[in-house]
Amino acid sequence: MTKTLRLLLGDQLNSQHSWFAVNNPSVTYLMLEMRQETDYVTHHIQKVVGFFLSMRHFAKDLQEKGHQIHYLTLDDPKNLQDLSAQVQQLVKTEGFTRFEYQFPDEYRLDQQLKECGETLGIPYEAVDTEHFLTSRGYLQQLFEGKKTYLMETFYREMRKKYAVLMDGKDPVGGQWNFDEDNRKALKDRTLLKKPRVHPKQVNHITQMLETSGVNCIGNIDPAHFNWPTSREESLEVLQYFCEELLVHFGAYQDALTTWDPYLFHSRLSFSLNSKMISPLEVVQTVEAYWARHQDQIGIAQVEGFVRQILGWREYMRGIYWAKMPEFAQLNYFRHERKLPNWFWTGKTKMNCLSQSIQQSLDLAYAHHIQRLMVTGNFALLAGIHPDEVDRWYLGIYIDAIEWVEITNTRGMSQFADGGIVGTKPYVSSANYIKKQGNSCSSCAYQAEKKTGEGSCPFNSLYWHFHARNREMLEKNPRIGMVYRTWDKMGNRQEILDQADYYLAHLEEL
Ligand SMILES: Cc1cc2nc3c(=O)[nH]c(=O)nc-3n(C[C@H](O)[C@H](O)[C@H](O)COP(=O)(O)OP(=O)(O)OC[C@H]3O[C@@H](n4cnc5c(N)ncnc54)[C@H](O)[C@@H]3O)c2cc1C
Ligand code: SF4
């Protein structure tokens, strides 16, 4: 009789997968908490706790439904802490005659599992995770022979393919994209809502991590761990998003504020990336809710949200599989600097950065504009090596898994890919941060000043970035205007000197 071992990785918690449609006594599901995974980068403690707790919940659920589970906690003496070694050993000692796994979303695990399969001496097979809306290779096929992979083109294809916000062949509301309506700054704090949290005790896991000597960053309150760690909780967060947050999502999508860490963002990325919920059900639930409440919720709010999931999330995955492993080496501007130490402590006088970093350390979360236009913007202007930047983003956020982290960080945020993901670098001076948020009014630096004592570092660094990379950027039609302005400025040398000073004193900013 066939005896099958099926592997489930920590980000493969899809209870709707066809694997679970029937109980098969000849199948054993393997789930592993491993040092291999806790140690490949220094993770935020909430990220490790979030994954282990969700995995344990998932395993318990499967067991209750009658499936056979082999689950090894991190501190189990039988745990070899290495995926290949554990699978090889189990196949040998338990007499499995077949090995199956779901396609991993990370290149390193994909390679490891292929190699592992080859060593087992039994048939093995990889199956789809049944999570994403596109196959690994879809984006590459769509853009076959094209130099640039435009997200907007991909997004429209997806809207049509899945009939989301469509009115026959046309987009609902008469246009595909309401980006123009997504840029409001938040002036009225009474609009803000508390997040839907699911506080739980996680002492048993934090203690296990400490005893095992796992090195983590960030803070945690083990009596109130607030992230959703089951499908039911994830669905509640989704429902709360529809009822309370969607109404303002699009308008304040690009807002920055010191009043609240989440604004109107959904907090669904961890639930999605661990696959506890699926992108299609999120998009369809939100669309259906909007359809029933069109008198209260505008199309720009819902389209802004759909674009993130149906567009950006699937697009980034496509880019990852089209461009890995080379993508992880790209460094278009040949940046070499180290990340200042205050990225790990939040102790900088720059208020926008201190706030975004401290929040990331406390919550393992920052919303998109904090990641892109505050921390990412600074790292790019300061010429930090993309490896350093990647390591930070991959570690600190609860939703950080390489396929979506590296494409956003090295691609969208650092332009280290030279323009595969974005058509121009996302950089700004203090002007943008001041316009979109309220951090400048209580900052040690002055947003209006370009040079001299107290001048905001974003200003001189912005011009320094453009001046030093002129050859690589000037021909870009979306940037030409910046150089025309620069050439007309009278105090160019003073600005460059100011930036040089700041670059030489990054640790003290
Ligand atoms: C430098 C940088 C690094 C990032 N690293 C990650 C990461 O490691 N993991 C991750 O999931 N997202 C990452 N993002 C994208 C985005 O910032 C997060 O998905 C989002 O902040 C998660 O919060 P939310 O669930 O409240 O999102 P919402 O604002 O409510 O958006 C809804 C959902 O849309 C999806 N989404 C939104 N923007 C993107 C995007 N650019 N790419 C892919 N999916 C998107 C997410 O699944 C998100 O949950 C990164 C962005 C930047 C600029
Ligand atoms: S003045 Fe500059 S450093 Fe301070 S909050 Fe504004 S943009 Fe950030």
Side-chain angles (χ1 to χ4, degrees):
M1 189 181 85
T2 316
K3 203 175 159 196
T4 304
L5 182 66
R6 281 181 176 169
L7 175 71
L8 286 168
L9 296 169
D11 66 344
Q12 296 180 336
L13 310 182
N14 177 7
S15 59
Q16 314 299 297
H17 195 279
S18 54
W19 266 2
F20 310 121
V22 283
N23 285 349
N24 186 340
S26 70
V27 172
T28 301
Y29 291 97
L30 173 64
M31 295 183 78
L32 303 167
E33 297 174 5
M34 287 176 286
R35 290 305 291 260
Q36 166 185 323
E37 294 306 299
T38 58
D39 295 4
Y40 72 86
V41 73
T42 311
H43 301 283
H44 197 295
I45 184 144
Q46 294 192 36
K47 182 179 174 191
V48 183
V49 168
F51 272 105
F52 284 0
L53 209 60
S54 308
M55 286 165 67
R56 289 180 187 193
H57 192 280
F58 189 79
K60 190 164 163 272
D61 230 36
L62 285 187
Q63 216 149 21
E64 281 168 7
K65 286 178 184 145
H67 299 284
Q68 296 181 76
I69 312 291
H70 188 87
Y71 192 103
L72 289 176
T73 57
L74 196 78
D75 55 357
D76 191 310
K78 292 192 286 303
N79 193 328
L80 300 178
Q81 311 294 347
D82 176 90
L83 180 53
S84 312
Q86 199 80 53
V87 170
Q88 282 155 354
Q89 194 220 41
L90 273 171
V91 164
K92 219 164 157 186
T93 56
E94 306 292 322
F96 286 104
T97 57
R98 186 175 170 78
F99 175 57
E100 294 177 1
Y101 61 93
Q102 297 180 13
F103 280 114
D105 291 318
E106 283 180 277
Y107 186 82
R108 74 186 164 92
L109 288 167
D110 199 50
Q111 295 296 105
Q112 185 182 7
L113 280 168
K114 268 187 214 150
E115 282 164 25
C116 172
E118 289 301 313
T119 63
L120 296 176
I122 54 171
Y124 74 97
E125 190 191 7
V127 304
D128 200 274
T129 56
E130 301 173 11
H131 171 82
F132 290 100
L133 297 162
T134 47
S135 68
R136 272 185 183 177
Y138 176 77
L139 182 115
Q140 197 167 17
Q141 285 155 21
L142 185 71
F143 291 105
E144 193 71 64
K146 302 251 165 53
K147 230 169 104 186
T148 45
Y149 291 23
L150 256 192
M151 196 312 264
E152 189 62 27
T153 312
F154 170 80
Y155 171 53
R156 291 181 190 186
E157 281 303 310
M158 294 296 285
R159 288 269 295 275
K160 288 184 242 169
K161 191 169 170 192
Y162 285 94
V164 174
L165 295 179
M166 293 300 292
D167 185 1
K169 284 193 180 120
D170 300 317
V172 170
Q175 62 192 74
W176 291 99
N177 189 314
F178 292 82
D179 214 10
E180 300 272 300
D181 301 323
N182 296 159
R183 295 174 188 156
K184 265 174 103 168
L186 185 73
K187 303 284 181 208
D188 177 4
R189 67 187 297 174
T190 64
L191 292 179
L192 291 165
K193 301 277 177 189
K194 285 200 157 52
R196 173 77 175 92
V197 294
H198 294 88
K200 44 195 100 85
Q201 262 273 6
V202 294
N203 275 311
H204 56 301
I205 300 193
T206 52
Q207 270 160 22
M208 178 189 75
L209 294 175
E210 207 180 313
T211 317
S212 308
V214 175
N215 190 23
C216 287
I217 49 169
N219 307 315
I220 189 164
D221 174 359
H224 298 94
F225 181 74
N226 282 334
W227 288 99
T229 52
S230 67
R231 176 167 169 79
E232 294 68 34
E233 290 177 356
S234 302
L235 290 172
E236 281 171 27
V237 173
L238 173 59
Q239 190 56 28
Y240 183 79
F241 173 76
C242 292
E243 288 167 6
E244 302 292 340
L245 307 173
L246 178 62
V247 65
H248 296 305
F249 178 86
Y252 298 108
Q253 203 170 334
D254 285 4
L256 284 163
T257 179
T258 57
W259 293 329
D260 186 80
Y262 305 114
L263 278 125
F264 304 99
H265 295 279
S266 67
R267 294 174 71 250
L268 281 169
S269 50
F270 175 67
S271 300
L272 277 163
N273 295 353
S274 57
K275 303 189 180 65
M276 293 188 290
I277 50 173
S278 84
L280 190 59
E281 75 182 317
V282 171
V283 164
Q284 288 179 340
T285 304
V286 169
E287 185 187 17
Y289 188 88
W290 165 78
R292 294 194 304 274
H293 299 85
Q294 287 187 48
D295 51 331
Q296 296 148 39
I297 304 172
I299 177 73
Q301 314 306 323
V302 67
E303 188 283 321
F305 184 77
V306 163
R307 193 181 336 134
Q308 306 313 312
I309 296 181
L310 204 60
W312 281 111
R313 188 168 185 269
E314 294 288 324
Y315 170 82
M316 290 306 199
R317 174 163 182 271
I319 294 279
Y320 184 77
W321 287 108
K323 301 293 176 186
M324 279 297 278
E326 297 78 17
F327 199 84
Q329 307 299 324
L330 299 177
N331 184 0
Y332 183 65
F333 296 118
R334 294 192 209 99
H335 283 162
E336 288 298 335
R337 281 196 185 81
K338 271 181 73 70
L339 206 60
N341 197 43
W342 44 258
F343 261 81
W344 306 98
T345 64
K347 292 193 189 340
T348 164
K349 296 190 284 297
M350 290 182 281
N351 198 28
C352 53
L353 278 154
S354 142
Q355 203 251 335
S356 295
I357 294 170
Q358 192 57 53
Q359 174 197 314
S360 305
L361 290 167
D362 290 342
L363 304 171
Y365 179 89
H367 61 72
H368 189 66
I369 294 302
Q370 290 176 307
R371 298 186 203 197
L372 186 65
M373 297 312 293
V374 181
T375 41
N377 186 9
F378 184 85
L380 179 54
L381 294 180
I384 311 295
H385 195 298
D387 284 355
E388 291 264 308
V389 189
D390 262 333
R391 232 186 330 268
W392 188 78
Y393 280 99
L394 187 57
I396 202 157
Y397 293 118
I398 189 152
D399 54 34
I401 304 183
E402 193 189 62
W403 66 268
V404 57
E405 175 281 324
I406 201 170
T407 42
N408 269 294
T409 303
R410 204 170 275 255
M412 181 189 259
S413 156
Q414 298 301 293
F415 204 75
D417 61 0
I420 298 170
V421 170
T423 48
K424 75 179 185 67
Y426 281 96
V427 283
S428 80
S429 63
N431 212 8
Y432 177 87
I433 297 174
K434 187 169 177 226
K435 183 163 68 70
Q436 293 304 107
N438 60 353
S439 58
C440 298
S441 57
S442 45
C443 182
Y445 294 98
Q446 290 163 45
E448 297 75 22
K449 266 181 103 175
K450 289 191 189 64
T451 58
E453 200 168 332
S455 59
C456 171
F458 277 93
N459 293 333
S460 48
L461 290 176
Y462 174 80
W463 292 112
H464 193 278
F465 168 81
H466 284 100
R468 72 175 185 260
N469 294 311
R470 186 162 193 149
E471 239 178 66
M472 281 183 274
L473 297 176
E474 195 175 16
K475 291 203 183 76
N476 184 325
R478 297 194 62 202
I479 310 182
M481 187 62 198
V482 175
Y483 287 101
R484 286 197 285 285
T485 308
W486 172 240
D487 289 340
K488 281 190 220 135
M489 281 163 67
N491 54 345
R492 289 196 301 255
Q493 194 52 50
E494 215 185 317
I495 293 173
L496 294 180
D497 290 346
Q498 181 66 61
D500 279 330
Y501 176 84
Y502 281 147
L503 288 172
H505 296 86
L506 281 183
E507 292 293 350
E508 292 132 57
L509 291 180

